[in-house]
Amino acid sequence: MNRSYYGLSSALFPEPSPADWEESRRAGFQAVELSISSHGSCGCPEDCIEIGGRISAGIQEAGLLLWTVHIPYGPQWDPSAADQAEHRENCGRIRAVLEESARWGAKGAVLHGSYEPVPLEEAQREIRLERARESVAFLAEEAEKMGLFLAVEDLPRSCLGNCSGELQEVLGNSGASVCFDVNHLLLESH
């Protein structure tokens, strides 16, 4: 499988039109990351699925490859939530979007390892790291069953995964890969 594509994010277009996708294709782009939350409110999986279904159809109609779906972020999408019940609910929401992503023909999904703020105090941060590790292991396995890869994005500030060592802790032995956002890795050199 060729994994070298010129791609762009759907976030470039507030409300993408067929003309936007056609122009992108003519400009040489081949693949798209669908950033669901850039196109409307994603308070629940149903909203995200409606938005994602509409946008992904336009991507494919233009002959572009839907490479990844960027899972929404926010407190209700936080895979590192310390509260067990909230943690399970958030993983359920993410899993529902992964399932639809596979139906839309995506090859993978990008996930933030946490929402913020994440406490910098070591004991509290370790709880959040453990929850994120559990989530990534579960979600990477679920994604693989669906024919998707899961990539965890490096993040800035107090987020989990704000340096390579912590990102490795979040990934654990999950088999998930890294989505390297060069704009986010601020604590180390690239």
Side-chain angles (χ1 to χ4, degrees):
M1 172 200 273
N2 179 7
R3 291 175 63 128
S4 299
Y5 300 104
Y6 290 104
L8 73 158
S9 172
S10 68
L12 293 172
F13 311 109
E15 187 57 44
S17 69
D20 293 326
W21 296 127
E22 182 59 32
E23 183 179 349
S24 298
R25 190 183 58 71
R26 282 195 317 270
F29 290 101
Q30 302 155 310
V32 178
E33 175 176 87
L34 172 50
S35 180
I36 299 174
S37 56
S38 296
H39 306 292
S41 172
C42 278
C44 65
E46 295 77 18
D47 293 343
C48 293
I49 289 165
E50 187 279 323
I51 293 167
R54 179 171 36 85
I55 304 292
S56 67
I59 292 167
Q60 293 169 344
E61 286 170 12
L64 296 166
L65 175 66
L66 177 57
W67 185 247
T68 53
V69 172
H70 199 299
I71 301 297
Y73 47 90
Q76 71 275 29
W77 300 97
D78 186 355
S80 78
D83 179 79
Q84 276 289 23
E86 184 181 351
H87 176 250
R88 279 191 302 275
E89 289 172 11
N90 291 356
C91 283
R93 287 184 193 98
I94 295 166
R95 190 195 177 287
V97 173
L98 286 173
E99 193 168 19
E100 288 303 315
S101 299
R103 286 192 184 114
W104 300 329
K107 304 302 177 204
V110 174
L111 176 69
H112 286 192
S114 73
Y115 189 60
E116 68 179 336
V118 176
L120 297 176
E121 190 273 314
E122 190 175 338
Q124 292 180 23
R125 195 163 182 88
E126 187 53 45
I127 291 168
R128 298 282 296 273
L129 275 167
E130 180 57 32
R131 292 292 184 269
R133 243 187 324 271
E134 291 170 9
S135 298
V136 169
F138 167 73
L139 294 167
E141 185 176 318
E142 291 297 299
E144 186 176 358
K145 290 177 191 173
M146 298 171 197
L148 301 170
F149 66 84
L150 182 68
V152 179
E153 185 173 347
D154 63 310
L155 297 171
R157 299 177 299 274
S158 73
C159 293
L160 297 180
N162 63 11
C163 64
S164 58
E166 196 171 86
L167 190 55
Q168 287 176 326
E169 286 187 56
V170 170
L171 294 173
N173 295 321
S174 66
S177 55
V178 172
C179 172
F180 180 50
D181 185 329
V182 297
N183 190 45
H184 286 176
L185 192 60
L186 303 176
L187 300 181
E188 300 175 284
S189 73
H190 294 144

